[in-house]
Amino acid sequence: MQPEVAFGKVLRSLRLERNMTQEALGFEADLQRHYISLLERGSSSPTLKSIFRLAAALQISPVQLISKVQSEMRKDGRRFPD
């Protein structure tokens, strides 16, 4: 699984756990809803700034967010450096 796809799956899962729409997450993170959609579909890679904004909006640390992405990638059997 590509990192972008894993990031998108994790982002969508966290957003839904918090009962947020893409629009609400975009508002909280100061990002466009369309960009959130692209990220969730794995069509775009997040910038470092976006990772920090999304993590804050989802009330987790950026490290936790990336750790969840790594875990998602491991489910697919892909080894990624720790």
Side-chain angles (χ1 to χ4, degrees):
M1 178 178 304
Q2 295 297 316
E4 296 85 355
V5 173
F7 186 88
K9 288 178 82 169
V10 168
L11 181 62
R12 184 175 194 278
S13 176
L14 290 170
R15 176 178 63 78
L16 292 175
E17 282 176 16
R18 286 153 178 80
N19 295 314
M20 296 177 84
T21 63
Q22 289 180 345
E23 187 172 352
L25 177 57
F27 180 79
E28 291 297 322
D30 195 27
L31 298 168
Q32 295 292 316
R33 188 213 52 84
H34 183 256
Y35 181 58
I36 303 295
S37 176
L38 290 173
L39 290 174
E40 287 188 1
R41 288 184 281 139
S43 299
S44 186
S45 295
T47 64
L48 185 58
K49 186 183 233 180
S50 296
I51 291 170
F52 275 79
R53 287 179 174 184
L54 289 165
L58 294 166
Q59 299 180 340
I60 63 171
S61 74
V63 171
Q64 288 173 307
L65 179 55
I66 295 304
S67 179
K68 289 178 181 293
V69 173
Q70 283 183 309
S71 294
E72 185 65 34
M73 290 177 70
R74 286 189 185 111
K75 287 181 190 175
D76 192 40
R78 179 174 173 147
R79 294 294 299 160
F80 209 74
D82 289 339

